[in-house]
Every structure is written in C-alpha cells, then in structure tokens.
Amino acid sequence: MKGIHILATGHFAPDKIVTNDDLSKIVDTTDEWITSRTGMKKRHFCEAGDNNVTLATEAAKMALDKADIDINEIGALVVSTFSGDYLVPSAACQVQQELGLSDDIICFDLNAACSGFVFGIETMRGLLMQSEKRYGLLIGSECISRRLDMTDRGSCILFGDGAGAALIELDENRSYTSVYGCHGDLAVINCPNDANKPGRVHMEGQATYKFAVSTVPKLIKKVVEKAGIELEAIDAYVCHQANARIVDAVAKHLKQPKEKFFMNLDEYANTSAASVAIALSDAIDKGFCKPGQKVLLAGFGAGKTWGAIIVDL
Ligand code: UT7
C-alpha cells in the first residue's frame, strides 16, 4: 500500500501556563490528585490575541520552516479541530490565507475529536492520491480552554490548548497501514453547539477511561496484524495524550515496554485533535522518534471514535 512521508512537523502552544496548583484555586482539586490520577502537571491556555487559527498557523510555520519546499506545491490543507473560532469559515481557510498558500488548494476542517489527527492522516493520504500537487499540510489545533466548564473538576483539569502540524507527501517506498472505527455515542463525551449559550465539554470520565483501555490495545493489535508484523517491530508508539494511566495500561496489556510509548501530557495535558500532532512533533524534536523508524500513531475519543496508523518515518 502506498505510504506517506512526513517531511516535517511543528508544534506550538500559547504562552500562558496553567499549573495544577493554579487549578486548585478554581476548583476543589490538588496537584497530588491530578498528578497521580492523570500524570498531568500543567497545560497551556489561550489568552487574548491567541485563537485556534493563530495556534494552527504557528505550528504550520514551524513545519514549513524545516522543509525546503515550494509552498505553491501544497495542494491540500486540513485542520483537525472541534474548537474552531468560527463555524464558517473553516480554520483551514483562515490558515491558508495566513500562510499565503495558493488558491488552487482544497481546504477544510475535520472534526473527529481526539481521533482528529489520525483520521486527518488517512484523509490527507486520500486527498494526495487525487491531487495534482505534491504536498499536503495537516494540522491538529484546539483552543479547548474556551469550551471548558471551569466548575467541573472532573473535566476542566484535563485539557489544554495547542497545535501540531505535519507536511506530508506520498511515498511508494514507505509502507502504510491503518485501522479505524466509530461507535456513535452522544452521552460519553460531548460539547453542544447551542446558539443561545456557548457549549462546554462534558465527559463521563470513568466510562471514557474504560472505553480507552478496552479499545486501544485491540486497535493496536489489529493494525499490527493487518500490517503483517509483530508488536516488537514497532519502534515507537505515539498515542493520544489523555491520561498517563491509560498509556501505561495499554503498554501493560500489549506486554510492550513503557519506554516505547511517548508521553508529553505532563506539559500539554489533553489537547484533543492536536494531541497526537503535538506528541509526534515533540517526539521527533526530542529524538524519541527517528527517521527510518516504524511508528504507530493511535487516537481515540468523542464520537466515540478510534484509529491507528503505522507509518515509516
Ligand atoms: O480525550 C478524550 C478521552 N478522555 C479520556 O480518556 C479521559 C478518561 N478518564 C480519565 O482519565 C479519568 O476517569 C479521570 C482522570 C477523568 C478521573 O479519574 P478517576 O480515577 O476515574 O476518578 P473518578 O471519576 O472515579 O472520581 C474519583 C473521585 C470522585 O470522588 P468520590 O465520588 O469518590 O468522592 C470524584 O468526585 O475523585 C473525585 N474527583 C476529583 N477529586 C479531586 C474527580 N475529579 C477530581 C479532581 N480533583 N479534579
């Protein structure tokens, strides 16, 4: 199956840092509770002047700065997000303008919640197969802080803002395997879009936790089996950064060393569609993921949705 080459990545988060102690002044929680239950230490929140598009644009610029390409050869721009600044126009159209990309480009937002970046890779690969241009720009960007119920300690402590970007081209010499799923469920995680009052994220924490630890190991086994390889052939796992305990449980279930699983949720918390994008970019910058490696990306979340991809870096 024709693969993809991730030429360059970038990630960006707003300057404002919110620590667990900061949150303990807003809701009845403690640094000890948040750290022990989630592994999260801090998160970044947008301030005046920051928004979904500014985050997405900065992450994209970082990726483009690392790649020596003609930006007129970018034929598709997809922003995975559920927290766009406008219902219309899409964040992607605004980023296209900010970056000065050519007009003959397909631009749209994709909403698959925390599976957004993984679903975005599959979508981008399909778009590039149809495109007359060589490159696609995929961004996961979220400004979730504006969608949080800051009176609900069960959810407001979990999320942060940020964006990650990847510049992608097709590559016949790289392998590619993907597995996806959806089981429609409004109750477990939702964020209403009510014209009369701004929607806030609602999550049934325990139900989501159980969904994650039962779904993700099966998902990973399935994509590895589909690729015709063993788990041991995966050099690095970059999973959705929802909870360190979830990542640990997945590693334990798969009997894989925890050290193969990248984590940066202590710094960014859960950034939904940006989570896997930021983690991948950070993992590459830190040398955790290297060229030539086989990397498994896995996302899961509201929908409910889930997806995993094995790529050759
Ligand atoms: O990106 C989408 C995917 N999201 C996820 O995967 C999140 C999955 N869920 C989780 O990560 C965990 O369920 C949470 C971190 C959200 C909660 O951890 P938990 O161990 O499942 O806690 P719990 O919901 O069972 O609550 C245990 C206790 C409760 O108190 P009582 O009823 O035992 O007295 C909660 O009210 O902890 C309380 N609690 C808190 N206490 C201090 C809930 N949130 C907090 C808090 N600080 N922030």
Side-chain angles (χ1 to χ4, degrees):
M1 206 192 238
K2 192 184 270 190
I4 57 160
H5 175 204
I6 300 174
L7 287 104
T9 53
H11 62 286
F12 180 81
D15 289 339
K16 184 179 177 187
I17 290 173
V18 178
T19 64
N20 294 343
D21 283 335
D22 292 333
L23 289 173
S24 73
K25 293 173 189 128
I26 301 169
V27 285
D28 182 14
T29 191
T30 59
D31 174 46
E32 198 282 326
W33 193 95
I34 300 174
T35 305
S36 62
R37 298 285 178 128
T38 70
M40 292 164 187
K41 290 273 183 198
K42 55 188 175 182
R43 67 286 296 140
H44 298 246
F45 275 10
C46 285
E47 291 182 283
D50 302 318
N51 58 44
N52 193 305
V53 169
T54 60
L55 302 183
T57 304
E58 286 305 318
K61 280 183 182 165
M62 286 175 172
L64 292 174
D65 281 349
K66 292 180 195 160
D68 183 23
I69 65 147
D70 174 2
I71 59 166
N72 293 313
E73 272 303 306
I74 296 175
L77 168 55
V78 175
V79 176
S80 296
T81 187
F82 82 89
S83 60
D85 307 318
Y86 292 86
L87 288 175
V88 282
S90 68
C93 291
Q94 296 172 75
V95 175
Q96 180 262 351
Q97 184 187 31
E98 291 294 325
L99 295 175
L101 302 183
S102 71
D103 286 356
D104 48 348
I105 184 169
I106 183 163
C107 274
F108 61 91
D109 291 355
L110 181 161
N111 181 353
C114 305
S115 305
F117 191 73
V118 175
F119 278 34
I121 292 180
E122 180 83 347
T123 304
M124 184 57 76
R125 180 170 170 271
L127 290 171
L128 287 173
M129 284 181 174
Q130 309 293 327
S131 180
E132 289 169 7
K133 296 200 177 189
R134 183 163 170 185
Y135 305 111
L137 185 56
L138 174 65
I139 305 169
S141 183
E142 299 286 13
C143 187
I144 307 178
S145 58
R146 292 176 187 156
R147 292 285 174 184
L148 294 179
D149 175 355
M150 294 308 288
T151 66
D152 176 14
R153 67 178 180 172
S155 64
C156 75
I157 54 119
L158 296 171
F159 296 95
D161 300 335
L167 184 67
I168 295 171
E169 66 179 345
L170 295 178
D171 185 342
E172 286 185 3
N173 298 315
R174 285 175 155 85
S175 61
Y176 180 94
T177 313
S178 58
V179 167
Y180 291 90
C182 169
H183 181 89
D185 181 342
L186 184 58
V188 72
I189 315 174
N190 63 60
C191 182
N193 178 23
D194 183 331
N196 298 313
K197 62 176 167 47
R200 302 289 180 220
V201 172
H202 168 80
M203 189 183 68
E204 300 292 334
Q206 276 200 10
T208 309
Y209 189 93
K210 283 181 191 149
F211 153 67
V213 295
S214 66
T215 305
V216 181
K218 279 188 251 166
L219 170 69
I220 290 177
K221 280 186 186 165
K222 200 169 169 184
V223 73
V224 164
E225 193 179 320
K226 191 173 167 189
I229 58 175
E230 302 291 328
L231 287 165
E232 287 67 30
I234 303 297
D235 296 300
Y237 294 86
V238 179
C239 297
H240 173 40
Q241 304 288 299
N243 188 322
R245 286 193 293 142
I246 293 176
V247 179
D248 289 348
V250 170
K252 193 170 168 194
H253 195 98
L254 295 172
K255 299 190 178 67
Q256 290 300 296
K258 264 191 345 190
E259 294 69 33
K260 275 192 175 184
F261 288 74
F262 183 75
M263 273 201 259
N264 65 1
L265 46 73
D266 55 335
E267 163 74 32
Y268 297 102
N270 179 345
T271 57
S272 193
S275 155
V276 175
I278 293 174
L280 177 64
S281 174
D282 198 16
I284 291 172
D285 286 356
K286 288 176 174 156
F288 188 94
C289 293
K290 299 182 194 70
Q293 286 188 334
K294 216 170 252 314
V295 175
L296 192 150
L297 309 174
F300 60 89
K304 303 184 292 252
T305 55
W306 56 91
I309 296 177
I310 302 171
V311 290
D312 293 332
L313 274 195

